[in-house]
């Protein structure tokens, strides 16, 4: 009985190590993920920008400069928080987040979509898929890479 418990523990550790990467694995390439996104998911971040966003979200979590989820991000935007908003493009039903881009535009907060809610959740250090995150500008200014993706997304939003 004790031998099986040890084996199960090892298997769990092996699984956990495998799922830590928010990058493409298990045959989930960027192109496959993009094929699953909603029609309203514009502006969509490119492959390189998506990777930069995942890395910056991970760093922002460590410095406590991150709001996760529709409820928390909505509350922060209503209170006047500024920063950078990242939406997952594969949310179903999409009606859950359709009001958020309007809130971002009203608050002059640039936003973009990325292909995968699972990868966004992993980058934000949660086990659950995450539909939206807000990188707070007040605390994110010291996060490495924030200024770079902020400028890229702002430019991308301006061109659409």
């Amino acid at each position: 009985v004790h031998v099986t418990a040890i084996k199960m523990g090892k298997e769990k550790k092996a699984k956990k190590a495998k799922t830590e990467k928010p990058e493409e694995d298990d045959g989930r390439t960027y192109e496959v993920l993009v094929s699953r996104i909603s029609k309203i998911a514009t502006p969509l971040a490119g492959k390189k920008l998506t990777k930069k966003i995942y890395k910056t979200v991970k760093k922002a979590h460590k410095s406590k400069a991150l709001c996760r989820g529709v409820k928390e991000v909505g509350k922060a935007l209503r209170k006047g928080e500024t920063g950078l908003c990242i939406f997952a493009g594969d949310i179903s039903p999409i009606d859950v987040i359709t009001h958020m881009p309007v809130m971002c535009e009203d608050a002059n907060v640039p936003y973009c979509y990325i292909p995968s809610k699972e990868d966004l959740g992993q980058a934000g250090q949660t086990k659950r898929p995450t539909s939206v995150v807000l990188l707070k500008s007040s605390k994110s200014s010291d996060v490495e890479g924030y200024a770079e993706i902020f400028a890229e997304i702002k430019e991308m939003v301006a061109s659409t």
Side-chain angles (χ1 to χ4, degrees):
V1 177
H2 293 289
V3 175
T4 55
I6 293 171
K7 284 184 179 178
M8 286 181 9
K10 285 184 180 178
E11 287 175 20
K12 286 182 181 178
K13 286 182 183 177
K15 270 187 181 178
K16 192 174 185 180
K18 187 178 181 182
T19 59
E20 262 181 46
K21 274 190 169 182
E23 323 245 355
E24 303 114 8
D25 42 277
D26 301 332
R28 296 176 350 135
T29 63
Y30 179 80
E31 290 75 23
V32 171
L33 294 173
V34 167
S35 69
R36 298 177 187 164
I37 65 168
S38 173
K39 303 244 185 286
I40 69 161
T42 53
L44 181 67
K47 190 174 184 177
K48 284 185 179 181
L49 182 57
T50 301
K51 282 190 176 186
K52 286 182 192 176
I53 289 171
Y54 290 146
K55 287 179 183 178
T56 308
V57 167
K58 195 169 190 174
K59 290 173 188 172
H61 168 75
K62 288 179 184 173
S63 66
K64 308 232 186 282
L66 190 68
C67 288
R68 292 182 221 117
V70 176
K71 189 175 179 181
E72 197 175 332
V73 172
K75 184 177 179 181
L77 289 172
R78 278 193 306 277
K79 286 187 171 185
E81 192 73 53
T82 59
L84 183 61
C85 206
I86 312 294
F87 297 104
D90 62 344
I91 301 299
S92 179
I94 196 67
D95 297 337
V96 173
I97 62 165
T98 49
H99 66 287
M100 297 298 287
V102 176
M103 288 178 73
C104 289
E105 287 170 6
D106 289 344
N108 290 327
V109 173
Y111 65 91
C112 79
Y113 288 84
I114 56 169
S116 174
K117 63 185 176 186
E118 287 84 9
D119 292 344
L120 186 59
Q122 283 180 357
Q125 307 294 305
T126 61
K127 293 178 183 177
R128 302 278 306 157
T130 305
S131 56
V132 58
V133 297
L134 176 70
L135 301 168
K136 299 179 194 174
S137 63
S138 58
K139 296 180 181 177
S140 292
S141 55
D142 59 336
V143 174
E144 183 184 331
Y146 175 78
E148 185 182 340
I149 66 166
F150 184 85
E152 281 188 54
I153 292 172
K154 196 157 187 144
E155 183 181 310
M156 194 169 53
V157 170
S159 65
T160 57

